[in-house]
Amino acid sequence: MDLNLNIEQSILKDSARDFLKAECPKSLVREVREWEDDYPEELWHKMAEMGWMGVLIPEEYDGIGGDFLDLTILIEVMGQACLPAPFFSTVVIGGTALLLAGSKEQKKDLLPKIIAGELVVSYALIEPGNWYGFSNVNTSAVEEGDSYIISGTKLFVEYARSANYILCAARVANEGLALFLVKADNPSIKMKLFNTLSYDYQCEVVFEDVKVPKENLLSLGQPANDLLATLEERGALAKCAEMLGCMQPAFEMSLAYAKEREQFGRLIGTFQAIQHHCVNMVIDLNSARYITYLAAWKIAQGLPAAKEAAMAKSYTSAASNRVIKLGHQIHGAISYCDEHDMHLFYRKAKAASIAFGDTDHHLEKVAQHLGL
């Protein structure tokens, strides 16, 4: 295993960093909090022009045909920018679900639209009483002629108001779990916007006897269980990359501040306690990066990576909180001001640390893989 980036991946990382530095400054991240729109559409379409939406999609659908390692690199850079856009739900989850379970017609129709930035997908899994996993999904889907009728409540559905389609997990009586591709403009779908820690636009989505054609059923029964497990695995790992993106600038800012801030007539970087903080940040950051990229590499190689993804999510979720808290301690009170970027990284990393399973959830999965 070689985790060094090749020439193409280095170019991808550098170009993404330069693009987002110019097009997605932290001032834009702050502005979006006050907008009626969920995300900056101009930025979204420029990202599509860069080809990012097609990084995982094969060339036969006009995509780049890259692998999960390429996607991981891209998402880490997006984490550094605190990107306020529906890339995660649309590309990582929606694109993966369509590639693995969509019909030929759905792939031919929808994947090029994702690549062009013309389609936004949301993912509706979490419910009251079912925070992680999918063993307690209570949203029901009842077969009725050539359709299914979906009823239930979903929580924390990202960018639901802007979505064209919602991937909805539901349970079909006597057949098990199912994953549906539901048109978001259905009048029987009700949405209520949440206030969130990370300023992401998330909604409570209520399905009130929503009629969905049978051809919009992506998966049912054990294949649906397998698909949802794959989405959790890849979603959790992509969130690790996002947390890495938050940790890296938090460390760099803290190190630079320790070299210039004076206290008691000395640079604070000369105090042993501050030096220990910096060393601990480096250890956590490098460890999280190694375990995340190891799992991403295995997925890119087509190897089983469920255990490694769970290891990465359990460790990186805790490590990101430690790193950014230490960054706050090094900066002191100034980093808690809204004008300072540190709290933006904390908010983004904190939200990512609990998305697709927190540390305890994934430690339990690691234990199961080890037979404990």
Side-chain angles (χ1 to χ4, degrees):
M1 179 189 66
D2 183 5
L3 294 183
N4 292 316
L5 303 185
N6 59 36
I7 295 176
E8 291 81 6
Q9 290 167 340
S10 296
I11 293 173
L12 174 64
K13 186 173 185 177
D14 292 342
S15 63
R17 185 187 294 112
D18 292 343
F19 172 85
L20 290 176
K21 185 177 181 179
E23 301 292 341
C24 186
K26 296 301 185 293
S27 58
L28 177 63
V29 176
R30 290 179 170 85
E31 288 174 15
V32 172
R33 300 179 303 188
E34 311 299 328
W35 289 5
E36 289 296 323
D37 296 330
D38 288 359
Y39 63 94
E41 291 190 17
E42 183 179 358
L43 173 61
W44 181 250
H45 292 299
K46 287 181 178 180
M47 289 166 54
E49 291 173 2
M50 295 286 287
W52 293 355
M53 316 310 190
V55 65
L56 279 181
I57 298 175
E59 294 179 8
E60 64 181 295
Y61 303 109
D62 301 325
I64 293 176
D67 58 31
F68 199 84
L69 195 56
D70 300 323
L71 180 68
T72 302
I73 293 166
L74 197 54
I75 292 178
E76 181 179 348
V77 178
M78 291 178 180
Q80 294 177 12
C82 296
L83 178 70
F87 184 88
F88 197 94
S89 60
T90 300
V91 176
V92 181
I93 302 302
T96 298
L98 284 169
L99 282 172
L100 295 179
S103 65
K104 291 182 179 179
E105 292 76 14
Q106 288 169 332
K107 292 177 183 179
K108 187 176 180 180
D109 177 34
L110 300 180
L111 290 178
K113 291 179 180 178
I114 289 178
I115 294 168
E118 299 171 357
L119 191 71
V120 172
V121 180
S122 291
Y123 185 41
L125 174 66
I126 297 174
E127 299 180 2
N130 184 63
W131 293 98
Y132 301 133
F134 37 87
S135 59
N136 295 317
V137 171
N138 291 317
T139 295
S140 64
V142 179
E143 190 173 359
E144 185 179 279
D146 59 354
S147 302
Y148 282 92
I149 307 300
I150 299 177
S151 301
T153 299
K154 298 293 186 178
L155 301 177
F156 311 116
V157 183
E158 290 188 347
Y159 297 100
R161 299 188 308 174
S162 302
N164 303 98
Y165 286 93
I166 299 175
L167 278 173
C168 179
R171 191 172 296 277
V172 179
N174 301 320
E175 296 193 64
L177 286 172
L179 190 64
F180 293 90
L181 193 62
V182 184
K183 285 192 174 182
D185 61 358
N186 191 305
S188 296
I189 297 177
K190 310 300 179 185
M191 300 182 187
K192 178 182 177 182
L193 187 65
F194 287 136
N195 291 321
T196 63
L197 176 68
S198 60
Y199 304 125
D200 292 329
Y201 284 86
Q202 299 181 5
C203 291
E204 175 189 69
V205 177
V206 180
F207 294 83
E208 298 179 346
D209 297 328
V210 177
K211 191 173 184 178
V212 180
K214 281 189 174 179
E215 56 263 29
N216 283 29
L217 172 64
L218 291 182
S219 193
L220 176 64
Q222 187 56 46
N225 284 63
D226 296 340
L227 176 60
L228 289 168
T230 298
L231 294 180
E232 179 179 85
E233 172 190 311
R234 299 191 182 184
L237 196 53
K239 284 298 178 182
C240 290
E242 188 173 86
M243 286 184 279
L244 285 175
C246 295
M247 294 160 70
Q248 184 68 48
F251 166 68
E252 292 173 355
M253 290 165 55
S254 301
L255 183 62
Y257 188 75
K259 292 179 178 180
E260 65 184 27
R261 171 66 167 150
E262 291 188 9
Q263 189 62 272
F264 307 112
R266 295 171 56 184
L267 292 173
I268 64 172
T270 64
F271 293 115
Q272 193 174 51
I274 299 297
Q275 294 171 359
H276 287 173
H277 283 349
C278 291
V279 170
N280 287 333
M281 293 172 81
V282 170
I283 291 171
D284 267 335
L285 177 56
N286 288 344
S287 299
R289 174 167 284 112
Y290 175 81
I291 197 170
T292 295
Y293 275 82
L294 168 62
W297 176 83
K298 294 195 73 170
I299 290 176
Q301 296 296 314
L303 301 172
K307 181 180 69 174
E308 288 77 11
M311 292 167 62
K313 188 60 165 66
S314 62
Y315 183 85
T316 306
S317 292
S320 65
N321 288 326
R322 291 194 297 265
V323 166
I324 300 177
K325 284 181 179 179
L326 287 174
H328 274 299
Q329 291 182 34
I330 291 172
H331 280 83
I334 187 65
S335 64
Y336 289 90
C337 298
D338 188 60
E339 295 78 8
H340 202 281
D341 291 345
M342 185 67 73
H343 78 95
L344 295 177
F345 295 123
Y346 176 78
R347 290 171 181 272
K348 196 77 172 178
K350 185 65 175 179
S353 72
I354 60 176
F356 294 91
D358 61 4
T359 293
D360 289 343
H361 174 77
H362 284 282
L363 283 176
E364 179 63 29
K365 293 185 70 173
V366 173
Q368 292 172 3
H369 282 291
L370 295 176
L372 301 177

